Amino acid sequence: MNTADFDYRLPEQLIAQEPVTPRDHARMMVIERDTGAVSHRRFFDLPAELRPGDLLIANDSRVLPARLYGRRLDAEGNPGAAVEVLLLEQKERDLWEVLVRPGKKARDGAELLFGGGLLRAKVEATVEGGNRLIRFVWEGDFYALIERIGQMPLPPYITEKLEDAERYQTVYSKELGSAAAPTAGLHFTPELLESLRQKGVRLGYVTLHVGLGTFRPVKVDDVTQHKMHRERYTVPPETARLIEETKAAGGRVIAVGTTSARTLEAVYRQEGRVVPCEGSTDIFIYPGFRFGVLDGLITNFHLPQSTLIMLVSAFLGYEETMRAYRLAVEEQYRFYSFGDCMFIR
């Protein structure tokens, strides 16, 4: 398939700039894979759309406030030109691969200052793609410091300022390390989670730290030639047990978001079943992929020509997916990270 096959027309006003309040009042398009039937609900209707014995698997990764604003030290050791650093991947305890703007202010050996001196760094090397390796120096808890002085790295299509940073975190986020939110989970509230438990729907967690590669466009014409970025994941023993029990009892395993879906299917492809493990994956799911775990998928509406809409097309079917997106535009659904969602079952 060609990348252009996954294009669609989206009016700019349908790109959600802020989240719905309350979270669970987002709209939800429910699609039956077997019949193609479509219904329009609200996310708080989710318990009514599930059955006792169903299992939701959600990504409990927490977004790191990974955008740091600082200064480059001049020859005399005084704060000089402004720099912006975006944390991409932790290589060692104190060594990170980062994106620096402007790059000319961060040549090898440059020293950087953040938070008025609470955090210092030195550029050690320039790597492929123009990113930098920088080594930090700090006192105390690094992540607590980052949460104090860092800012949330919102996607480039969100131009409005987010007043409450917690709205870009799921209510069950726990494991700090993502550069972007697993957005399908943004619709859950504690009250909705309790309603699901009372219905007999169980909830398990995986951790996949979302990288900024999730926003990178597919630049090749032939989809099969695209190279995915790698992301770290963990599947805890409790989650592996829940999946095994659910499958044995005839229940459905439903992924909350493409990140959860990729984690489950990557482990299944490697192990033949979902087992407790941790590692990294660059699995690329596009039409023709054979799913081994998923029975359902909750996901937002994604960018044209993105690997995310390709994953949805692999699960729902290409024609059905493009039809659903055209319908979502006609029905004025809100798109992307802060937008509405679809439940495919």
Side-chain angles (χ1 to χ4, degrees):
M1 301 189 77
N2 291 326
T3 300
D5 294 334
F6 296 90
D7 200 7
Y8 65 91
R9 182 190 65 83
L10 180 66
E12 186 176 350
Q13 65 267 24
L14 295 185
I15 300 175
Q17 292 296 316
E18 57 186 22
V20 169
T21 301
R23 291 173 182 256
D24 60 0
H25 280 52
R27 297 173 69 191
M28 178 174 67
M29 182 186 293
V30 181
I31 306 176
E32 306 289 344
R33 285 199 294 165
D34 291 343
T35 65
V38 174
S39 58
H40 304 284
R41 309 293 297 271
R42 293 282 178 176
F43 199 74
F44 56 68
D45 296 317
L46 183 62
E49 300 295 330
L50 297 173
R51 301 193 293 255
D54 284 342
L55 173 65
L56 298 178
I57 300 295
N59 183 4
D60 66 3
S61 182
R62 185 170 175 81
V63 184
L64 186 70
R67 180 166 279 120
L68 305 174
Y69 293 98
R71 297 281 179 179
R72 178 175 61 88
L73 299 185
D74 62 21
E76 287 72 40
N78 299 315
V83 294
E84 175 187 338
V85 166
L86 187 63
L87 303 177
L88 298 179
E89 183 180 354
Q90 188 175 22
K91 300 293 187 180
E92 299 172 8
R93 174 182 173 274
D94 57 352
L95 185 68
W96 283 76
E97 181 176 345
V98 304
L99 176 66
V100 183
R101 293 175 180 161
K104 64 181 180 180
K105 303 295 185 184
R107 296 186 175 90
D108 294 359
E111 296 186 60
L112 312 176
L113 192 71
F114 306 95
L118 294 174
L119 183 65
R120 291 175 175 264
K122 184 174 183 178
V123 179
E124 294 208 341
T126 301
V127 296
E128 184 179 358
N131 294 341
R132 306 299 199 274
L133 291 178
I134 67 173
R135 195 172 298 275
F136 288 104
V137 177
W138 72 95
E139 292 184 2
D141 186 312
F142 177 77
Y143 288 103
L145 179 58
I146 293 299
E147 290 212 270
R148 177 179 169 187
I149 67 175
Q151 294 191 21
M152 204 62 73
L154 293 177
Y157 47 75
I158 296 178
T159 59
E160 300 294 326
K161 180 177 174 58
L162 182 64
E163 297 298 332
D164 180 5
E166 281 300 309
R167 293 307 308 271
Y168 196 55
Q169 306 278 15
T170 64
V171 297
Y172 47 73
S173 65
K174 183 174 63 173
E175 303 295 336
L176 198 62
S178 277
T183 55
L186 294 178
H187 307 296
F188 286 92
T189 65
E191 295 77 15
L192 181 58
L193 292 173
E194 180 57 31
S195 295
L196 291 168
R197 293 188 188 97
Q198 292 180 5
K199 177 74 180 276
V201 176
R202 296 196 289 181
L203 185 65
Y205 297 100
V206 296
T207 303
L208 183 136
H209 291 312
V210 186
L212 283 180
T214 191
F215 299 119
R216 289 176 187 157
V218 178
K219 295 183 177 180
V220 294
D221 292 332
D222 182 353
V223 166
T224 64
Q225 300 304 306
H226 176 66
K227 176 64 175 174
M228 287 288 286
H229 55 288
R230 298 194 72 85
E231 295 170 318
R232 293 180 292 120
Y233 68 81
T234 301
V235 178
E238 172 68 6
T239 299
R241 181 184 65 80
L242 285 171
I243 292 173
E244 186 171 351
E245 290 178 357
T246 299
K247 290 290 189 181
R252 298 179 297 181
V253 175
I254 298 162
V256 178
T258 57
T259 58
S260 299
R262 292 181 67 238
T263 302
L264 296 180
E265 295 298 335
V267 173
Y268 182 87
R269 173 167 283 195
Q270 180 174 309
E271 304 291 341
R273 62 191 183 99
V274 179
V275 299
C277 59
E278 59 182 50
S280 65
T281 181
D282 60 355
I283 189 171
F284 181 22
I285 299 176
Y286 55 88
F289 183 88
R290 298 189 64 174
F291 289 85
V293 184
L294 261 61
D295 302 300
L297 176 64
I298 297 170
T299 185
N300 281 21
F301 293 95
H302 303 294
L303 276 74
Q305 301 188 28
S306 65
T307 61
L308 305 179
I309 193 175
M310 293 174 189
L311 184 153
V312 174
S313 297
F315 188 69
L316 177 59
Y318 170 74
E319 295 293 344
E320 293 80 2
T321 297
M322 302 313 293
R323 178 173 67 90
Y325 271 65
R326 290 192 296 271
L327 179 60
V329 171
E330 292 172 10
E331 295 290 332
Q332 301 284 290
Y333 274 72
R334 301 165 74 248
F335 279 64
Y336 304 167
S337 295
F338 286 146
D340 299 315
C341 70
M342 57 202 311
F343 174 26
I344 309 167
R345 63 185 182 188

